[in-house]
Amino acid sequence: MKILNPATNKLIKEVGEDTKSSVTEKFEMAKAAHKSWAAQTMESRLFVITKFSELLAKNSEILANDLTSEMGKPLQESLNEINGAQKRITFFIENSKKWLSENHVHTDGNTKEVLSFDPLGVIANISAWNYPFLVGVNVFIPALIAGNAVLYKPSEFATLTGLNIAKLMHEAGVPTNIFVPLIGDSRIGEVLLDLPLDGYFFTGSFKTGKYIAEKVAHKLVPVGLELGGKDPLYVTDDVNDIKQVAGAVAEGCLYNNGQSCCAVERVYVNEKVYDEFMTYFLPEIKNFSTGAITRPTHLDFLDSQIQDAVSKGAKVLIGGKKIKSDGNYFEPTVLVDVNHNMKVMTEETFGPVIGVMKVKNDEEAIKLMNDCEYGLTASVYSKNIDRAKKIAGQVDAGTAYINCCDRVSPYLPWAGRKNSGLGTTLSYLGILAFTKPRAWHIRG
Ligand code: NAD
């Protein structure tokens, strides 16, 4: 497999790919090794995961360089991601024991009712490239802590990072048959779907996620899907500091070059503050420094969304085209006079292209925010928290942001609704997701 640098389209490295038979063999080895890993004490599993986190910190410069070179985000954003991944690991280390320990929940006469949690077994983690450390950690860390073996398929656009993660995991003491990287593209993912795994945990597009869920449905094993978003943000007419809001919204739109599932992709602004908002928002977008777009084919996709909007009456206020370069660069773009007949307002963009729409009132904003197949996050800006909560609470999204956007906390569930996903990562729900409960009725 050829690994290309999206900033130059030059070859970084060639790496060997897995094959159908190597994947099958690795699965058999994980299955054989799994019981001994599950039989270890949780303390010993937590010990190696702590070590892994320390190794991430120790090697952060090298890891960040590799991540930036293969997926194009600015180096500082790669460092931030690695730092964020360690914080999430700390959450799992500090909270897993509490949630996974055997729990005497009730006594009925002479019968003790006790709840315990078993690992699922050998699970697949088919992952995405945009935040490979963060979205990986959400799955494989709680899965390993709970006693599962993990067949980890990083995205073909984050292969070096996937290999780095595996190397450090093994150096930390996780057995090589318990955390197993599988290198390749969709064809290697497909092989996993045909094997008798005990769970499938996927991060990626709605199209692939739906396909995977349908393909493995007959196995009746847990399936977790973290999918795309078309995340809306509404600026009401009573924000405290509109300049500051405009800056925060621009960052929510353009961090990671808009290649985040929770990037703000559509902005609705109350007509009373629209002009003032745009005065501050446009320069923020213009001056934002973005990296390269990861997938070269995505440049044409962004172009086609803009063409679709313009052909239906949208106006390009800033940007609007590819940047002439050997690498995959696209101008940060703001479109106005947009409506929901345009793909840019309803289909995931996953790049630095934002539609901004003027709205009359809160009711119109709520209606438009809900007018989409995705339901990952929704954000409302207002100094009146009750009003903002009332608005955001009517939007069908797993995460509601009040006076903030584009953030993820390990303490809260990450659970997309509608086409944004199925199941939960993070929080105590994202710890329990990698287990199956056992109900004990103990007499005597
Ligand atoms: P993708 O669906 O193209 O690929 C994801 C993974 O699936 C890759 O590892 C790929 O090799 C594998 N794959 C592709 N086809 C497969 C098949 N037929 N069988 C098995 N595996 C297959 O997605 P992507 O481009 O890597 O990621 C971008 C998408 O991920 C965006 O839609 C984004 O919003 C979403 N995402 C969601 C979250 C979240 O937490 N909700 C986080 C990050 C990214």
Side-chain angles (χ1 to χ4, degrees), residues 93-111:
I93 291 170
E94 289 176 351
N95 289 281
S96 292
K97 210 161 170 214
K98 172 171 145 201
W99 291 103
L100 297 180
S101 296
E102 193 171 288
N103 186 5
H104 179 174
V105 290
H106 184 61
T107 303
D108 182 18
N110 63 350
T111 308

Side-chain angles (χ1 to χ4, degrees), residues 18 20-38 121-123 148-151 170 175-182 195-198:
D18 270 287
K20 186 172 180 186
S21 62
S22 76
V23 174
T24 309
E25 200 177 306
K26 287 174 182 177
F27 164 68
E28 293 299 344
M29 294 201 303
K31 206 170 153 203
H34 162 247
K35 280 210 168 63
S36 67
W37 175 249
V122 183
I123 63 141
N148 297 281
V150 179
L151 300 187
H170 299 151
T176 51
N177 290 334
I178 292 298
F179 185 79
V180 186
L182 302 174
L195 289 169
L197 288 162
D198 301 304

Side-chain angles (χ1 to χ4, degrees), residues 131 231-233 244-267 281 284-285 288 351-354 377 379 381 401 404-407:
Y131 286 99
D231 305 63
L233 182 147
Q244 186 267 328
V245 171
V249 177
E251 182 164 6
C253 295
L254 292 184
Y255 196 81
N256 210 25
N257 223 345
Q259 302 172 117
S260 308
C261 51
C262 54
V264 177
E265 295 208 353
R266 43 196 180 115
V267 181
F281 184 62
E284 288 283 353
I285 294 287
F288 205 94
V353 178
I354 308 120
T377 81
S379 175
Y381 277 75
Y401 297 122
C404 57
C405 58
D406 190 29
R407 80 185 287 278

